[in-house]
Short mmCIF file of all heavy atoms in Angstrom, two decimals:
data_model
loop_
_atom_site.label_atom_id
_atom_site.label_comp_id
_atom_site.label_asym_id
_atom_site.label_seq_id
_atom_site.Cartn_x
_atom_site.Cartn_y
_atom_site.Cartn_z
N ARG C 230 -31.36 102.52 -4.39
CA ARG C 230 -31.54 103.32 -5.60
C ARG C 230 -32.54 104.45 -5.38
O ARG C 230 -33.40 104.36 -4.50
CB ARG C 230 -32.08 102.43 -6.73
CG ARG C 230 -31.05 101.45 -7.25
CD ARG C 230 -31.65 100.62 -8.36
NE ARG C 230 -30.68 100.42 -9.41
CZ ARG C 230 -30.95 99.88 -10.59
NH1 ARG C 230 -32.18 99.50 -10.89
NH2 ARG C 230 -30.02 99.73 -11.50
N VAL C 231 -32.39 105.47 -6.19
CA VAL C 231 -33.39 106.54 -6.25
C VAL C 231 -33.78 106.70 -7.71
O VAL C 231 -32.92 106.93 -8.57
CB VAL C 231 -32.83 107.87 -5.69
CG1 VAL C 231 -33.83 109.01 -5.91
CG2 VAL C 231 -32.49 107.73 -4.21
N TYR C 232 -35.08 106.51 -8.00
CA TYR C 232 -35.55 106.62 -9.38
C TYR C 232 -36.05 108.03 -9.64
O TYR C 232 -36.81 108.59 -8.84
CB TYR C 232 -36.69 105.63 -9.65
CG TYR C 232 -36.26 104.19 -9.50
CD1 TYR C 232 -36.53 103.49 -8.32
CD2 TYR C 232 -35.59 103.54 -10.54
CE1 TYR C 232 -36.13 102.17 -8.18
CE2 TYR C 232 -35.19 102.22 -10.40
CZ TYR C 232 -35.46 101.53 -9.23
OH TYR C 232 -35.07 100.23 -9.09
N VAL C 233 -35.58 108.59 -10.78
CA VAL C 233 -36.05 109.94 -11.18
C VAL C 233 -36.40 109.87 -12.66
O VAL C 233 -35.96 108.96 -13.36
CB VAL C 233 -34.96 111.01 -10.94
CG1 VAL C 233 -34.66 111.15 -9.46
CG2 VAL C 233 -33.70 110.68 -11.72
N PRO C 234 -37.22 110.81 -13.16
CA PRO C 234 -37.55 110.80 -14.59
C PRO C 234 -36.26 110.90 -15.41
O PRO C 234 -35.38 111.70 -15.09
CB PRO C 234 -38.41 112.05 -14.77
CG PRO C 234 -38.91 112.36 -13.41
CD PRO C 234 -37.85 111.91 -12.45
N ILE C 235 -36.15 110.05 -16.45
CA ILE C 235 -34.90 110.04 -17.23
C ILE C 235 -34.68 111.39 -17.90
O ILE C 235 -33.54 111.84 -18.09
CB ILE C 235 -34.89 108.89 -18.24
CG1 ILE C 235 -33.45 108.70 -18.80
CG2 ILE C 235 -35.91 109.08 -19.35
CD1 ILE C 235 -33.17 107.38 -19.42
N THR C 236 -35.79 112.10 -18.20
CA THR C 236 -35.68 113.42 -18.85
C THR C 236 -35.01 114.41 -17.90
O THR C 236 -34.26 115.29 -18.32
CB THR C 236 -37.06 113.93 -19.25
OG1 THR C 236 -37.95 113.77 -18.13
CG2 THR C 236 -37.61 113.12 -20.43
N LEU C 237 -35.29 114.24 -16.59
CA LEU C 237 -34.67 115.11 -15.59
C LEU C 237 -33.17 114.85 -15.51
O LEU C 237 -32.36 115.76 -15.37
CB LEU C 237 -35.33 114.87 -14.22
CG LEU C 237 -34.86 115.77 -13.08
CD1 LEU C 237 -35.32 117.21 -13.31
CD2 LEU C 237 -35.36 115.26 -11.74
N VAL C 238 -32.81 113.55 -15.65
CA VAL C 238 -31.39 113.20 -15.64
C VAL C 238 -30.67 113.92 -16.78
O VAL C 238 -29.61 114.52 -16.59
CB VAL C 238 -31.19 111.67 -15.77
CG1 VAL C 238 -29.73 111.33 -15.99
CG2 VAL C 238 -31.73 110.96 -14.54
N TYR C 239 -31.32 113.90 -17.96
CA TYR C 239 -30.67 114.53 -19.12
C TYR C 239 -30.52 116.04 -18.94
O TYR C 239 -29.54 116.63 -19.35
CB TYR C 239 -31.46 114.20 -20.39
CG TYR C 239 -31.39 112.73 -20.76
CD1 TYR C 239 -32.51 112.06 -21.20
CD2 TYR C 239 -30.18 112.04 -20.67
CE1 TYR C 239 -32.45 110.71 -21.51
CE2 TYR C 239 -30.11 110.70 -20.98
CZ TYR C 239 -31.24 110.03 -21.40
OH TYR C 239 -31.16 108.72 -21.69
N SER C 240 -31.53 116.66 -18.28
CA SER C 240 -31.45 118.12 -18.17
C SER C 240 -30.62 118.60 -16.98
O SER C 240 -30.01 119.65 -17.03
CB SER C 240 -32.86 118.72 -18.11
OG SER C 240 -33.48 118.32 -16.91
N ARG C 241 -30.58 117.80 -15.86
CA ARG C 241 -29.92 118.30 -14.67
C ARG C 241 -28.72 117.49 -14.21
O ARG C 241 -27.85 118.02 -13.53
CB ARG C 241 -30.93 118.36 -13.50
CG ARG C 241 -32.16 119.17 -13.78
CD ARG C 241 -31.84 120.62 -14.15
NE ARG C 241 -31.22 121.38 -13.08
CZ ARG C 241 -31.89 122.22 -12.30
NH1 ARG C 241 -33.19 122.40 -12.47
NH2 ARG C 241 -31.28 122.90 -11.37
N PHE C 242 -28.71 116.19 -14.54
CA PHE C 242 -27.63 115.37 -13.97
C PHE C 242 -26.76 114.72 -15.03
O PHE C 242 -26.23 113.65 -14.83
CB PHE C 242 -28.21 114.27 -13.07
CG PHE C 242 -29.13 114.77 -12.00
CD1 PHE C 242 -30.47 114.44 -12.02
CD2 PHE C 242 -28.63 115.57 -10.97
CE1 PHE C 242 -31.31 114.90 -11.02
CE2 PHE C 242 -29.49 116.02 -9.98
CZ PHE C 242 -30.84 115.70 -10.01
N VAL C 243 -26.67 115.31 -16.25
CA VAL C 243 -25.88 114.65 -17.29
C VAL C 243 -24.45 114.46 -16.82
O VAL C 243 -23.84 115.35 -16.26
CB VAL C 243 -25.86 115.47 -18.60
CG1 VAL C 243 -27.07 115.14 -19.43
CG2 VAL C 243 -25.73 116.93 -18.31
N PRO C 244 -23.95 113.27 -17.04
CA PRO C 244 -22.61 112.99 -16.55
C PRO C 244 -21.53 113.74 -17.32
O PRO C 244 -20.44 113.91 -16.83
CB PRO C 244 -22.48 111.47 -16.71
CG PRO C 244 -23.50 111.10 -17.73
CD PRO C 244 -24.59 112.10 -17.66
N SER C 245 -21.81 114.18 -18.53
CA SER C 245 -20.76 114.84 -19.29
C SER C 245 -21.38 115.83 -20.28
O SER C 245 -22.45 115.59 -20.83
CB SER C 245 -19.93 113.81 -20.07
OG SER C 245 -19.28 114.45 -21.12
N GLN C 246 -20.69 116.89 -20.49
CA GLN C 246 -21.18 117.90 -21.43
C GLN C 246 -21.16 117.36 -22.86
O GLN C 246 -21.95 117.79 -23.70
CB GLN C 246 -20.32 119.17 -21.36
CG GLN C 246 -20.39 119.85 -20.02
CD GLN C 246 -21.80 120.24 -19.62
OE1 GLN C 246 -22.55 120.80 -20.43
NE2 GLN C 246 -22.19 119.94 -18.38
N PHE C 247 -20.28 116.39 -23.11
CA PHE C 247 -20.21 115.83 -24.47
C PHE C 247 -21.52 115.19 -24.90
O PHE C 247 -21.83 115.11 -26.07
CB PHE C 247 -19.09 114.78 -24.57
CG PHE C 247 -17.72 115.38 -24.52
CD1 PHE C 247 -16.92 115.27 -23.40
CD2 PHE C 247 -17.25 116.09 -25.64
CE1 PHE C 247 -15.67 115.85 -23.36
CE2 PHE C 247 -15.99 116.64 -25.59
CZ PHE C 247 -15.19 116.54 -24.46
N ALA C 248 -22.27 114.72 -23.91
CA ALA C 248 -23.51 114.02 -24.21
C ALA C 248 -24.43 114.89 -25.07
O ALA C 248 -25.21 114.39 -25.87
CB ALA C 248 -24.20 113.63 -22.92
N ARG C 249 -24.30 116.18 -24.88
CA ARG C 249 -25.18 117.09 -25.62
C ARG C 249 -24.99 116.91 -27.13
O ARG C 249 -25.93 117.09 -27.90
CB ARG C 249 -24.84 118.53 -25.25
CG ARG C 249 -24.95 118.82 -23.77
CD ARG C 249 -25.80 120.06 -23.52
NE ARG C 249 -25.78 120.41 -22.09
CZ ARG C 249 -26.69 119.95 -21.23
NH1 ARG C 249 -27.66 119.15 -21.64
NH2 ARG C 249 -26.63 120.32 -19.97
N PHE C 250 -23.79 116.58 -27.51
CA PHE C 250 -23.53 116.51 -28.95
C PHE C 250 -23.89 115.15 -29.56
O PHE C 250 -24.02 115.03 -30.75
CB PHE C 250 -22.04 116.79 -29.24
CG PHE C 250 -21.62 118.11 -28.66
CD1 PHE C 250 -20.84 118.17 -27.52
CD2 PHE C 250 -22.03 119.30 -29.28
CE1 PHE C 250 -20.46 119.38 -26.99
CE2 PHE C 250 -21.65 120.50 -28.73
CZ PHE C 250 -20.85 120.57 -27.58
N VAL C 251 -23.98 114.14 -28.74
CA VAL C 251 -24.21 112.80 -29.30
C VAL C 251 -25.58 112.24 -28.95
O VAL C 251 -25.89 111.11 -29.26
CB VAL C 251 -23.12 111.81 -28.85
CG1 VAL C 251 -21.78 112.16 -29.44
CG2 VAL C 251 -23.07 111.73 -27.33
N GLY C 252 -26.40 113.02 -28.33
CA GLY C 252 -27.73 112.53 -27.99
C GLY C 252 -27.80 112.04 -26.57
O GLY C 252 -26.79 111.95 -25.87
N ASP C 253 -29.01 111.75 -26.12
CA ASP C 253 -29.22 111.32 -24.75
C ASP C 253 -28.97 109.83 -24.64
O ASP C 253 -29.80 109.02 -25.00
CB ASP C 253 -30.66 111.65 -24.32
CG ASP C 253 -30.90 113.14 -24.34
OD1 ASP C 253 -29.97 113.89 -23.99
OD2 ASP C 253 -32.01 113.55 -24.73
N ARG C 254 -27.80 109.51 -24.11
CA ARG C 254 -27.45 108.09 -24.09
C ARG C 254 -28.10 107.39 -22.89
O ARG C 254 -28.40 108.02 -21.88
CB ARG C 254 -25.93 107.91 -24.05
CG ARG C 254 -25.30 108.46 -22.81
CD ARG C 254 -23.81 108.69 -23.01
NE ARG C 254 -23.23 109.14 -21.77
CZ ARG C 254 -22.51 108.37 -20.97
NH1 ARG C 254 -22.26 107.13 -21.30
NH2 ARG C 254 -22.04 108.84 -19.84
N VAL C 255 -28.27 106.05 -23.06
CA VAL C 255 -28.79 105.23 -21.96
C VAL C 255 -27.83 104.06 -21.77
O VAL C 255 -27.09 103.70 -22.68
CB VAL C 255 -30.21 104.70 -22.26
CG1 VAL C 255 -31.22 105.83 -22.25
CG2 VAL C 255 -30.24 103.93 -23.56
N GLN C 256 -27.88 103.52 -20.56
CA GLN C 256 -26.98 102.38 -20.33
C GLN C 256 -27.68 101.06 -20.64
O GLN C 256 -27.06 100.11 -21.07
CB GLN C 256 -26.52 102.37 -18.87
CG GLN C 256 -25.27 101.51 -18.71
CD GLN C 256 -24.97 101.20 -17.27
OE1 GLN C 256 -25.47 101.84 -16.35
NE2 GLN C 256 -24.13 100.21 -17.09
#
Side-chain angles (χ1 to χ4, degrees):
Chain C
R230 289 180 140 189
V231 173
Y232 298 99
V233 295
I235 193 160
T236 48
L237 184 68
V238 171
Y239 293 138
S240 66
R241 304 302 296 260
F242 306 114
V243 275
S245 159
Q246 297 302 314
F247 288 106
R249 303 231 186 268
F250 304 106
V251 293
D253 297 323
R254 64 199 184 104
V255 291
Q256 198 194 344

